């Protein structure tokens, strides 16, 4: 569920490598470039062994295996940390400096740029595993019924008591539309039919992408789920813009209201950039960059 939407969320996916060098002795240097990967059901039962050190003149073959860790949801908001050299500022990936230990073998990590990459990563000093953090996808529904939209008042933190669209984190094994319908049922006990995608809003600061679908009620019935205090249909003029939970919901509803009043509901893409130094609770402290519509 959406317990740390755009105010308090950071992605934390990670990847491991296993090396099996052949015929290598002495000190060895190499570079690893990211490959596409899939998520296994379980992690390897036996941690990889330390790499032997061999001389740079020796030819070695390198076999790489990547594993995706189970996802975690952070409730910390903030900018990505960075490190600087004498002339170049190097950005770290996500909140990587909070990763102190390897999720595979438990060894301590170091924070540096792997060969062939540009960002600081957490690298295990024992097995060599590199931890990668990836964005999360938040999916939800903008439900139209009798020229009104359905909103839910949050029963959980953050933003307890404020209004939002039914939305939450996409789960493994479901499509974006399926996830949006599931979240709508969980938060509003409403069965809906997805009509079309309405908006994709990226929030790089906290590593989230919102995908909001236009939807309609299959039956005119809804009621609060465990994470909602109440659910209510609002006309465009009555939407509580001063009591919304998140910047992403404010952007979505403003775009929708503008489209409806113009008589042409479109698909929107944009990047939400929070104003530097602003409070996470200040949902109006943002700019919508690279706004595209069709």
């Amino acid at each position: 569920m959406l317990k740390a939407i755009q105010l308090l969320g950071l992605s934390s996916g990670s990847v491991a490598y296993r090396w099996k060098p052949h015929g290598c002795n002495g000190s060895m240097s190499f570079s690893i470039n990211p490959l596409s990967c899939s998520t296994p059901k379980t992690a390897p039962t036996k941690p990889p062994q330390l790499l032997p050190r061999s001389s740079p003149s020796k030819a070695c073959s390198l076999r790489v295996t990547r594993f995706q860790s189970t996802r975690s949801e952070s409730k910390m908001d903030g900018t990505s940390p960075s490190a600087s050299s004498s002339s170049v500022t190097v950005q770290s990936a996500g909140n990587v400096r909070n990763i102190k230990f390897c999720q595979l073998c438990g060894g301590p990590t170091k924070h540096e740029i792997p060969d062939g990459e540009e960002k600081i990563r957490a690298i295990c000093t024992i097995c060599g595993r590199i931890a990668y953090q990836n964005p999360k996808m938040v999916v939800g529904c903008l439900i139209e019924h009798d020229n009104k939209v359905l909103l839910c008042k949050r029963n959980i933190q953050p933003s307890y008591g404020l209004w939002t669209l039914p939305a939450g984190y996409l789960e493994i094994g479901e499509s974006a539309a399926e996830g949006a319908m599931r979240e709508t049922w969980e938060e509003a006990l409403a069965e809906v039919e997805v009509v079309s995608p309405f908006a994709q809003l990226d929030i790089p600061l906290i590593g989230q992408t919102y995908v909001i679908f236009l939807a309609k009620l299959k039956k005119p019935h809804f009621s609060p789920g465990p994470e909602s205090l109440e659910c209510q249909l609002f006309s465009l003029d009555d939407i509580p813009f001063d009591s919304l939970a998140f910047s992403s919901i404010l952007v979505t509803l403003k775009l929708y209201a503008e489209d409806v009043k113009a008589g042409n509901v479109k698909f929107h893409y944009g990047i939400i950039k929070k104003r530097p130094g602003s409070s996470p609770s200040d949902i109006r402290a943002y700019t919508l960059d690279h706004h595209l519509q069709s």
Side-chain angles (χ1 to χ4, degrees):
M1 294 297 299
L2 189 54
K3 298 182 179 177
I5 301 289
Q6 70 197 70
L7 305 180
L8 310 167
L10 279 172
S11 57
S12 181
S14 47
V15 175
Y17 289 93
R18 179 181 298 170
W19 296 273
K20 292 191 179 178
H22 303 281
C24 299
N25 301 313
S27 114
M28 176 178 67
S29 63
F30 50 86
S31 63
I32 301 172
N33 292 319
L35 304 172
S36 61
C37 64
S38 59
T39 304
K41 296 293 185 181
T42 60
T45 57
K46 182 179 180 181
Q49 301 299 314
L50 288 174
L51 287 174
R53 309 190 69 80
S54 82
S55 115
S57 61
K58 298 289 185 179
C60 303
S61 63
L62 184 68
R63 187 165 67 200
V64 180
T65 306
R66 301 187 65 180
F67 297 96
Q68 183 75 28
S69 70
T70 54
R71 70 173 193 161
S72 64
E73 296 178 3
S74 169
K75 294 187 178 181
M76 299 303 296
D77 184 20
T79 57
S80 299
S82 62
S84 60
S85 64
S86 58
S87 60
V88 179
T89 298
V90 179
Q91 186 179 22
S92 61
N95 205 14
V96 67
R97 294 187 183 276
N98 284 345
I99 303 175
K100 305 296 185 182
F101 299 97
C102 177
Q103 296 180 3
L104 183 63
C105 72
T109 60
K110 59 183 178 180
H111 301 95
E112 60 184 40
I113 304 173
D115 290 339
E117 299 194 20
E118 299 81 30
K119 294 185 178 182
I120 295 172
R121 311 284 186 184
I123 306 171
C124 180
T125 58
I126 302 300
C127 70
R129 172 192 176 102
I130 303 176
Y132 289 92
Q133 296 179 301
N134 306 109
K136 295 181 181 296
M137 181 178 287
V138 178
V139 292
C141 287
L142 197 168
I143 301 160
E144 304 170 301
H145 184 75
D146 289 341
N147 297 316
K148 298 178 180 181
V149 296
L150 180 65
L151 300 181
C152 301
K153 181 178 285 189
R154 289 175 62 82
N155 190 33
I156 56 174
Q157 294 291 357
S159 302
Y160 175 89
L162 298 179
W163 293 94
T164 184
L165 295 171
Y169 288 116
L170 182 67
E171 299 282 0
I172 297 294
E174 63 185 4
S175 69
E178 289 170 339
M181 290 187 290
R182 172 184 54 77
E183 289 289 343
T184 300
W185 172 256
E186 291 177 357
E187 297 185 9
L189 300 181
E191 294 186 54
V192 297
E193 177 184 342
V194 166
V195 176
S196 65
F198 174 70
Q200 177 183 332
L201 301 171
D202 294 339
I203 316 177
L205 177 67
I206 55 173
Q208 292 182 358
T209 289
Y210 274 71
V211 176
I212 303 296
F213 294 90
L214 291 177
K216 61 183 181 180
L217 293 171
K218 290 183 177 180
K219 302 176 182 178
H221 304 299
F222 55 86
S223 60
E227 295 187 4
S228 301
L229 292 169
E230 59 179 293
C231 300
Q232 184 176 334
L233 288 168
F234 291 90
S235 65
L236 294 185
D237 292 334
D238 293 330
I239 292 175
F241 284 105
D242 292 331
S243 301
L244 296 179
F246 310 112
S247 296
S248 56
I249 303 305
L250 175 60
V251 171
T252 300
L253 289 173
K254 286 180 67 176
L255 293 173
Y256 175 75
E258 291 170 1
D259 284 358
V260 171
K261 290 177 180 179
N264 182 22
V265 177
K266 296 168 282 191
F267 173 76
H268 298 266
Y269 169 79
I271 299 173
I272 296 177
K273 298 184 70 173
K274 293 288 285 187
R275 189 177 304 141
S278 63
S279 167
S281 61
D282 186 357
I283 66 169
R284 296 182 181 274
Y286 72 89
T287 59
L288 181 63
D289 295 349
H290 303 288
H291 181 206
L292 306 174
Q293 49 191 318
S294 62

